[in-house]
Amino acid sequence: MENSIKCNTISWDEAYRLARALAQKIIESGYKPDIVIGVARGGLVPARMVCDFLLLDELVSIRTEHWGIASKNETARIKFSLPEEADISGKNVLVVDDVADTGDSFSVILDYLEQKNPTGIRTAVLHYKTCSTVVPDYWGEKHEEWNWIIYPWAFYEDLAGFVQKLLDKPVTNEEIKKGLLKNYNITISRKDLLEMLNDFHKLRNIKKSGKNKKVLWEKVES
């Protein structure tokens, strides 16, 4: 990931609104899923919310690997497949993820699911980026311009990665706060940032040094 990218931070209220809008589109389309498959990890919370709005009980998950804070894999692959008990043969399936970005994850998942002979498969996301090679059947919001979306269920994870990129040398709380705003368009209060940095320190993600009021943060030596 680049040292400076534009981020869009999504609140819990916004995520809920998008999930409800998504469910309304599914209802209005007339598609009646028998089972919802949440794409782990980012799609698990949206999938559960969509199930609630559709009054559906059947929810399972599948996991792919592609995006991370460092995009470790160049192409997507299935890491955890459907459980054996989840028979989708002859059923209408709805696959839910948080975002359609490259489209690679959906492409791999659709190829995998089609081998299990479902009656139908449709896809749904909170955010559809038009750079995606797969156009989802339903989306809450469409983005023409690419940016990194920070969801509330991945806020710590994403910020941990961004903070790491600001630690070329030991830095202060204020330097991290300014760096997050300048490089990633992330606004966070001093109180929330300090609590988060202390949590990262306790988790041995970063190192805390300095004395009295002069607190510095630096990378943990590997």
Side-chain angles (χ1 to χ4, degrees):
M1 184 173 295
E2 302 167 31
N3 290 331
S4 178
I5 62 172
K6 182 180 179 182
C7 294
N8 180 20
T9 303
I10 304 299
S11 68
W12 283 107
D13 286 346
E14 178 69 1
Y16 186 86
R17 182 190 69 79
L18 289 170
R20 186 175 184 187
L22 195 58
Q24 288 298 315
K25 289 182 178 181
I26 295 166
I27 292 170
E28 290 169 4
S29 75
Y31 187 66
K32 298 183 182 301
D34 300 302
I35 187 169
V36 172
I37 299 175
V39 181
R41 294 173 297 153
L44 295 180
V45 176
R48 179 61 186 91
M49 288 194 288
V50 169
C51 278
D52 186 40
F53 292 128
L54 297 180
L55 300 180
L56 278 173
D57 294 330
E58 298 298 314
L59 171 63
V60 295
S61 68
I62 189 171
R63 180 169 179 181
T64 62
E65 281 189 334
H66 180 75
W67 279 114
I69 206 69
S71 192
K72 297 177 181 178
N73 298 301
E74 293 182 0
T75 57
R77 68 180 182 90
I78 291 178
K79 184 174 183 180
F80 299 125
S81 56
L82 290 180
E84 293 182 4
E85 298 83 0
D87 181 12
I88 64 171
S89 176
K91 294 182 179 180
N92 283 331
V93 176
L94 179 68
V95 184
V96 180
D97 206 351
D98 50 5
V99 61
D101 195 308
T102 64
D104 289 352
S105 293
F106 270 132
S107 180
V108 169
I109 289 171
L110 291 173
D111 286 345
Y112 166 76
L113 294 178
E114 284 168 358
Q115 298 174 26
K116 296 184 175 295
N117 302 313
T119 296
I121 307 174
R122 294 195 186 180
T123 54
V125 294
L126 298 185
H127 291 99
Y128 160 48
K129 298 180 184 180
T130 55
C131 59
S132 172
T133 57
V134 174
V135 180
D137 296 289
Y138 311 101
W139 62 81
E141 197 169 85
K142 181 165 72 171
H143 285 197
E144 302 282 351
E145 180 182 356
W146 191 94
N147 54 36
W148 184 266
I149 301 175
I150 303 176
Y151 293 99
W153 45 85
F155 190 72
Y156 255 52
E157 181 176 319
D158 282 355
L159 257 69
F162 292 137
V163 167
Q164 285 285 343
K165 294 180 180 295
L166 298 174
L167 300 183
D168 292 335
K169 61 178 182 179
V171 295
T172 63
N173 302 355
E174 195 64 24
E175 287 173 320
I176 292 176
K177 186 176 186 298
K178 290 179 179 179
L180 290 173
L181 179 59
K182 178 182 178 181
N183 294 333
Y184 306 111
N185 193 39
I186 297 172
T187 301
I188 184 170
S189 70
R190 290 178 175 84
K191 178 178 178 294
D192 289 344
L193 177 61
L194 181 57
E195 289 178 355
M196 185 173 291
L197 292 174
N198 278 319
D199 285 343
F200 293 164
H201 171 62
K202 293 172 185 176
L203 294 168
R204 301 185 184 279
N205 176 264
I206 60 176
K207 181 180 177 182
K208 183 178 183 180
S209 61
K211 296 180 179 179
N212 300 324
K213 294 183 178 181
K214 185 66 173 181
V215 175
L216 296 175
W217 305 93
E218 55 187 300
K219 290 183 177 180
V220 174
E221 296 181 5
S222 57

